Amino acid sequence: MTQIIETVDFMQSGKQVGWLRVPHSVTRSAYGVIPVPVAVWRNGDGPAILLTAGTHGDEYEGQVVLTRLVQQFEAKDMRGLLIVIPSLNTPAAIAGTRVSPEDDGNLNRAFPGDAFGGPTWKIADYLHNHLVPMVDVVGDFHGGGASLTYRPHASTHFSPHAPQELKDRSIAAVKALGVPHVAILESVSGGGGVSTATRHHGKIYLNGEYGGAASVTQSGIGLVDNAVQRLLAFFGATDRQFDPLPEPQVLRLFAHVYVPEPGVFIPATVLGQSVQQGDLCGHLMFPENPMRVPIALHFERAGDVVCQRHPARVDRGDCVAHLAG
């Protein structure tokens, strides 16, 4: 059961662009809806693929690329079924925030959702119970957001209990996306994210972080665009050919560094730098109390710095760095 009403027909051949109307009754609009944009292409037999961006509203590379895809891609250029939602958590995308201003919902923590919950939980329920079962592959494009900057990587997520065939196909697919670094995340829980739905239904899930700082760069857009085109070709939705790729570096993500109290964080490393256990991550300083001695923060494990906090001002519990190896 869902309260969301589609203005598109997922079984109809050709290209359609419409809306997922998410009911949201508020004081200003008793029978209001939140229109979430959706595009659908269907052309004969072939793979069924769902591509999403804007799961977090302040991550833009995927939103830009999928918006262009909606404008430019035609059904004659592909086979099978393709569903594209370029701003999945539309209220957050419009506000430029990680979470929705309508219900403070983080869509990547809301799965499996609730058909009768707030808008974020309604969207999660709709994907979990209606869209993901309809497809073979989900590509969900992220970008660090306002608080983080990433060295770009693609990723795939699956359960340790998934069939070996699904694991092998997922790993082959993520390596085919043309990103020099790929992460393979194998865990029982999807953490309430989109991969909660793909794990539940036994589908391939491809993710990634392609930038950050709530900004857009040509390099980030280029990485996502290339990944989308390679994804479609890898699964047979298009006939496009690509040159062979070098083997990407495979990462396992681990080891965050958190600050113990408010202050200003000055990093001692740069993205991509290799560090050892005990190396200096950075200093926490206190301009409002200039005679106070800065606090040194150290890495608890060895690895590559793949993510750093973007805003200098931090609060207790903020993550300032993320290692992978």
Side-chain angles (χ1 to χ4, degrees):
M1 179 180 293
T2 180
Q3 297 188 59
I4 294 177
I5 299 173
E6 314 101 339
T7 68
V8 295
D9 181 352
F10 295 107
M11 301 305 296
Q12 179 177 310
S13 295
K15 176 181 178 179
Q16 307 165 73
V17 181
W19 309 98
L20 306 174
R21 291 176 174 160
V22 183
H24 189 44
S25 178
V26 293
T27 300
R28 74 169 190 280
S29 183
Y31 300 113
V33 297
I34 297 169
V36 175
V38 60
V40 183
W41 298 255
R42 184 181 279 277
N43 185 19
D45 296 330
I49 299 171
L50 169 64
L51 302 179
T52 62
T55 301
H56 293 135
D58 58 352
E59 299 174 359
Y60 296 105
E61 293 84 359
Q63 294 187 53
V64 170
V65 170
L66 295 190
T67 297
R68 289 177 176 173
L69 192 70
V70 171
Q71 295 171 351
Q72 299 168 5
F73 198 57
E74 300 299 334
K76 65 180 178 58
D77 299 324
M78 52 82 67
R79 66 180 67 87
L81 170 67
L82 175 63
I83 303 169
V84 171
I85 307 177
S87 61
L88 185 58
N89 196 344
T90 298
I94 292 171
T97 54
R98 182 175 179 84
V99 303
S100 172
E102 300 293 345
D103 57 9
D104 204 32
N106 180 341
L107 182 54
N108 217 37
R109 304 292 185 272
F111 284 79
D114 180 353
F116 299 95
T120 301
W121 281 263
K122 286 186 175 77
I123 294 168
D125 169 80
Y126 184 80
L127 259 72
H128 189 95
N129 291 305
H130 297 272
L131 289 189
V132 172
M134 194 183 301
V135 301
D136 308 307
V137 182
V138 176
D140 183 33
F141 295 92
H142 287 248
S147 69
L148 301 171
T149 302
Y150 269 92
R151 182 185 70 180
H153 69 268
S155 64
T156 186
H157 306 218
F158 45 73
S159 167
H161 309 300
Q164 191 61 45
E165 181 182 358
L166 184 144
K167 294 181 182 181
D168 292 344
R169 186 69 165 158
S170 298
I171 293 170
V174 76
K175 289 183 175 181
L177 297 185
V179 183
H181 301 91
V182 302
I184 299 171
L185 291 88
E186 187 172 3
S187 62
V188 173
S189 169
V194 178
S195 71
T196 298
T198 56
R199 291 163 197 258
H200 180 79
H201 295 289
K203 311 295 184 172
I204 292 174
Y205 180 68
L206 302 171
N207 184 269
E209 302 282 357
Y210 292 87
S215 63
V216 181
T217 65
Q218 287 299 324
S219 60
I221 291 173
L223 276 174
V224 175
D225 183 62
N226 187 50
V228 167
Q229 298 303 325
R230 286 177 175 271
L231 185 157
L232 295 175
F234 178 85
F235 289 103
T238 69
D239 293 322
R240 188 167 175 183
Q241 300 292 314
F242 292 90
D243 293 333
L245 291 168
E247 186 73 10
Q249 180 184 2
V250 176
L251 308 170
R252 305 282 177 173
L253 300 182
F254 55 78
H256 299 79
V257 178
Y258 300 99
V259 295
E261 56 185 287
V264 173
F265 180 73
I266 303 92
T269 61
V270 296
L271 283 177
Q273 182 174 333
S274 295
V275 299
Q276 299 300 314
Q277 182 179 7
D279 282 356
L280 181 67
C281 176
H283 285 97
L284 186 62
M285 298 189 71
F286 310 94
E288 66 277 14
N289 185 7
M291 290 301 291
R292 184 177 175 186
V293 176
I295 296 174
L297 302 178
H298 299 272
F299 293 105
E300 296 178 359
R301 296 182 65 172
D304 292 346
V305 180
V306 297
C307 175
Q308 289 183 315
R309 180 172 170 84
H310 176 63
R313 192 77 199 184
V314 294
D315 205 347
R316 184 170 181 257
D318 283 345
C319 174
V320 292
H322 190 186
L323 294 183

